[in-house]
Amino acid sequence: MWSLLNSKTFKTLSTNPRLWRRTVTTKSLIYRKFGQPINELQIIEEDIPNPIDKQVLIKILRAPVNPMDVSIIQGIYPFRPKILPAIGGGEFVGEILKVGELVMNLNEGDLIIPLRMHLGSWTTYKLAEEEEVYKIPKYSDLKEAATIGANTCAAYRLLKGFVNLKPGDSIIQNGANGFVGQTVHKLCKLWGIKSLGVIRDRPDAGVLKLAMERLGATVVLTDKEIDTTDVYETNCLLKPKLALNCTGGEMAESIARHLDKCGIMVTYAGVSGKPFKISALPSLILNEQRFTGFWITKWIEENLGSPHQVRMMNELIRLLETNQLETPPVEIIPFDDFKEAFAKRDGSCKRFMLDMTVDEDVKWIGERLRPLVPLGHCSNFGGKKAVKKSDKK
């Protein structure tokens, strides 16, 4: 595991009171006004002081670039930062470098992920409150750990929070190839639930179907096939008790038509921007179906530290420890090359993750000004430094 605390340089600076820094210089990716990320984002440097009370100082290791993060910067997401400029990003995995004097359950060297959304993760170092982060196993895969906070938690809550699903039950979802959709298929397979995925018709639909089925989907159909295929008899599926909608429009109406009696459809996004219609007589009256919405950000804020959240995190961490929680593929991009991620994102469905551990210079500032300490590859932090004559004294 990459670890700043394993380095001799860091141990020297952190254990010697005369050398311990009063601040650490961090690089942050900020935006001063709403707009397109590739135009508005810029890197700035600023100093972060020592943590106090229940604060922890975190070295950010990896931070995903999610569609939600982009929508926030564009100003079209329901959540907006109260003050600009703001640091972009929400999810991350990091390592604790220093703890405040009142911190009880975290220690230097612990690997952590955020419990709260929108803490501002596109930065190399940050301060957070103890209650805002969650300790994970020390040797967790960084890529998998970095995506638990929003997308994986959303998939978990969608499957656990609305219907008491049992092994053999079925669910149906549109946007099945999205990050949440893929995670839903993965969790369904682990829990013995049959999952029917719906994707938009496209030239490479066959390839995408196979990829989704390898991930855990029971069957994947296009939006043109779903209403013309006898999918339940062919695949021995029960009518779905749960429908998950992230698109809106006709695809939402389509999966609603497949709901079982007394089934529930949950809308957690609306990427098409289009409304959808529900027929009152068959759906609401005769079949007693229910339609509701879900916002993972709101759920986390309302359940911070609750038994529901603790149980969810413990279960997801166990899956992470046993390598059962494989997330969809992402491309890792060095933090300083962030524009590459947003340039590529405009024309592709790829997911990206910023790497804050590549070719970084760390500035430690204490009673004596320390020289730049280059970060070596992986855990080899620091190296030999020239000793000035004045320092020999």
Side-chain angles (χ1 to χ4, degrees), residues 134-197:
Y134 184 87
K135 181 180 176 179
I136 63 174
K138 206 174 209 41
Y139 295 98
S140 301
D141 183 279
L142 296 184
K143 179 177 73 72
E144 313 295 345
T147 58
I148 286 181
N151 293 300
T152 307
C153 285
Y156 181 99
R157 289 308 310 166
L158 288 168
L159 292 173
K160 292 281 191 178
F162 299 91
V163 177
N164 183 21
L165 294 169
K166 299 175 182 178
D169 286 341
S170 300
I171 69 108
I172 187 171
Q173 64 169 339
N174 55 33
N177 57 314
F179 202 106
V180 173
Q182 291 184 55
T183 308
V184 164
H185 283 314
K186 186 72 175 179
L187 291 175
C188 282
K189 183 179 180 181
L190 291 172
W191 296 337
I193 300 166
K194 307 292 185 181
S195 59
L196 169 58

Side-chain angles (χ1 to χ4, degrees), residues 273-285:
K274 298 178 180 178
F276 59 93
K277 298 177 182 179
I278 299 299
S279 178
L281 182 60
S283 296
L284 301 179
I285 299 174

